[in-house]
Amino acid sequence: MTERLPGRGRVRTLALRWVHLLQGGALLMPFYLLVNVGIGVVRPDMSQFLNTRPGPQFLAYGLSLPLVAAAGLIPVLRALESAAARTLCELPGGTLALGPADSWAARRRSAVWFTLHVGLGGLLSGASLAVPPMAVVLLAFPLFPALRGKHWAWPWDHAGSALWTAPVAGFALLAALVAAVYGAGALLARCAPVLLGPTPADRLAAAERRAADLAVRNRLARELHDSVGHALSAVSLQAGAARRVLDGDPEFVRQALAAIEETSRDAVAELDAVLGVLREGESAPATGPSLAADLDALVARTRATGTEVRLRVDEALGPLALLDAQVSAESFRVVQEGLSNALRHAPGAAVDVRLERQRSPQGELLAVTVENAASGAAVTRASGGRGLAGIAERAALLGGTARAGGEDGVWRLTARLPLAPAEREASRPQRAVRESTRQESTP
């Protein structure tokens, strides 16, 4: 592939911008003809001058521009003009808005752009039609006596040395036309990002859509990590425990294999639910876990690995089935992540799980605590893993808090979530946008 020469690139740019201006002139014609018809109806005596004298023609041109500006307020026009400007002005992607002008601020900008494009295009289209033939006549004037026999309305003599000033004037006319086209094209290319680019409202709407998309993506990532990640960790430990006692404790091996079967089945079901959301969109139905329906099975599967799990549920909570569905689901994920961390980082250590009702100035809270004894290496492990970060995000989206860390030889994961949905509704959208924006900026 040969490298394009800079000169050829400039010629191509000039040619494309010239076509863009000719397009503007073509768009002017319906408005110009409409004004001509209107002038003919109002002033029939001026109709004969519209096609013969420049003064009335420029008057019709000027009167057509307000109609052009009014047409520029049509919302879909911004998308059409952006497509033409992006191609013919060779503007980089992302500088122009792609959709219709939804706000009045965007429509006003589009109207100014359309008037500028069509106005300059009309003038330079007329010049492109008139100047080249005139320049050709001036260039050929000294060489053809037949041309000198005609009467021309210009200041040069028809004979003598002054004849050779005609070609100079012809070249000057062509150069002036090219310079005018170059200047008008550069002006349109400079104004296009300002007038056809996204408005602050467009940028805000795009940021909100981006934040919503990131929130959905992060939610799906959390679900996959918490469900499938925990299942794989549990299956691995259950299989290892069964292998170690294969000959000495067949009953434990049967229990471990049954737990592996159940864990794998549940993981596949949750994976199908998450993939269904990916395929069908955010509104697709997806069943989530709950404390009432899934906590006992989760504890049983963990115990099948040989780990002692002590579960204590505060009687003040009442029946777990009466908890808010989202609070119950996120609390289950907290317990699941705590058990996964214990299995992964402190195998064999006993795990305490507590669900308690607490009071705070903000209202009633559900406190979920998962703790286990750990070695020094486990206690000092970093708390920035994906699972712990996901738990913090889940708690923040509900208006709660989460904390994980080691102290005095104990690793403790604690989450406090508001029990009443009404107490967190006001802060949820803002927290979601902040959380999504933070995720977008994280490398």
Side-chain angles (χ1 to χ4, degrees):
M1 181 181 294
T2 59
E3 184 179 358
R4 180 184 296 170
L5 297 177
R8 296 179 63 183
R10 287 194 292 269
V11 171
R12 180 178 182 275
T13 299
L14 177 63
L16 288 176
R17 291 179 178 179
W18 204 327
V19 172
H20 190 227
L21 290 167
L22 293 177
Q23 180 194 57
L27 293 173
L28 175 67
M29 290 309 298
F31 304 97
Y32 181 79
L33 294 176
L34 181 62
V35 170
N36 277 341
V37 171
I39 292 177
V41 172
V42 177
R43 294 287 301 274
D45 56 313
M46 292 187 61
S47 298
Q48 58 180 330
F49 300 110
L50 289 174
N51 296 323
T52 58
R53 296 185 181 181
Q57 292 178 5
F58 279 107
L59 175 62
Y61 165 81
L63 293 177
S64 65
L65 293 182
L67 299 179
V68 172
L73 296 173
I74 300 175
V76 73
L77 193 65
R78 184 176 73 168
L80 301 175
E81 284 290 300
S82 294
R86 188 170 56 254
T87 302
L88 298 177
C89 292
E90 295 189 311
L91 298 175
T95 58
L96 304 183
L98 301 179
D102 296 327
S103 64
W104 278 107
R107 294 181 188 181
R108 288 192 293 269
R109 291 185 181 187
S110 299
V112 173
W113 163 264
F114 192 55
T115 305
L116 183 63
H117 177 206
V118 170
L120 291 176
L123 293 176
L124 290 173
S125 295
S128 299
L129 292 175
V131 169
M134 185 185 305
V136 169
V137 171
L138 288 173
L139 292 173
F141 187 77
L143 304 177
F144 295 94
L147 294 176
R148 297 194 295 272
K150 298 181 179 294
H151 178 73
W152 302 96
W154 57 49
W156 295 285
D157 294 333
H158 290 189
S161 60
L163 286 176
W164 296 100
T165 60
V168 176
F171 281 116
L173 283 176
L174 290 177
L177 176 60
V178 172
V181 169
Y182 179 84
L187 176 63
L188 290 178
R190 181 178 293 271
C191 293
V194 177
L195 298 176
L196 294 179
T199 63
D202 294 329
R203 292 189 180 94
L204 179 60
E208 290 176 348
R209 289 192 297 270
R210 177 63 175 165
D213 292 341
L214 284 173
V216 173
R217 189 174 67 182
N218 291 335
R219 179 173 65 85
L220 295 177
R222 289 193 299 268
E223 292 296 328
L224 284 173
H225 175 275
D226 293 345
S227 59
V228 179
H230 169 79
L232 292 177
S233 297
V235 165
S236 175
L237 291 171
Q238 289 161 353
R243 178 180 55 81
R244 287 191 296 270
V245 298
L246 181 61
D247 297 327
D249 194 349
E251 180 62 25
F252 179 82
V253 172
R254 283 193 291 271
Q255 293 176 1
L257 291 177
I260 289 174
E261 179 183 3
E262 183 181 356
T263 302
S264 302
R265 187 188 307 113
D266 292 344
V268 170
E270 292 196 43
L271 181 60
D272 286 342
V274 174
L275 293 179
V277 176
L278 286 174
R279 286 191 298 266
E280 302 176 26
E282 187 181 4
S283 60
T287 58
S290 67
L291 291 175
D294 303 288
L295 180 60
D296 290 338
L298 173 64
V299 172
R301 290 196 300 267
T302 306
R303 287 170 176 165
T305 66
T307 301
E308 180 184 358
V309 180
R310 297 186 289 264
L311 174 63
R312 185 168 68 85
V313 180
D314 188 357
E315 295 182 355
L317 278 175
L320 295 180
L322 299 182
L323 291 176
D324 175 71
Q326 191 170 6
V327 172
S328 181
E330 303 302 355
S331 301
F332 176 86
R333 293 303 189 193
V334 174
V335 176
Q336 187 180 56
E337 178 62 23
L339 293 176
S340 296
N341 283 340
L343 294 176
R344 189 180 301 113
H345 298 287
V351 183
D352 289 296
V353 179
R354 297 192 301 274
L355 304 177
E356 301 170 303
R357 189 186 192 98
Q358 294 182 352
R359 293 183 179 275
S360 73
Q362 290 75 29
E364 297 285 337
L365 299 177
L366 169 59
V368 183
T369 304
V370 182
E371 61 183 22
N372 58 274
S375 63
V379 171
T380 58
R381 69 180 182 264
S383 60
R386 296 179 183 273
L388 296 178
I391 293 301
E393 293 166 4
R394 291 177 183 274
L397 288 172
L398 293 181
T401 59
R403 179 181 177 275
E407 184 178 356
D408 297 331
V410 175
W411 179 265
R412 183 178 294 106
L413 170 62
T414 304
R416 291 179 172 84
L417 308 176
L419 282 171
E423 295 177 1
R424 63 173 186 266
E425 287 296 331
S427 62
R428 185 184 298 173
Q430 293 84 355
R431 289 179 182 271
V433 171
R434 287 199 299 269
E435 182 264 341
S436 302
T437 304
R438 180 176 62 81
Q439 289 292 326
E440 183 179 15
S441 62
T442 301

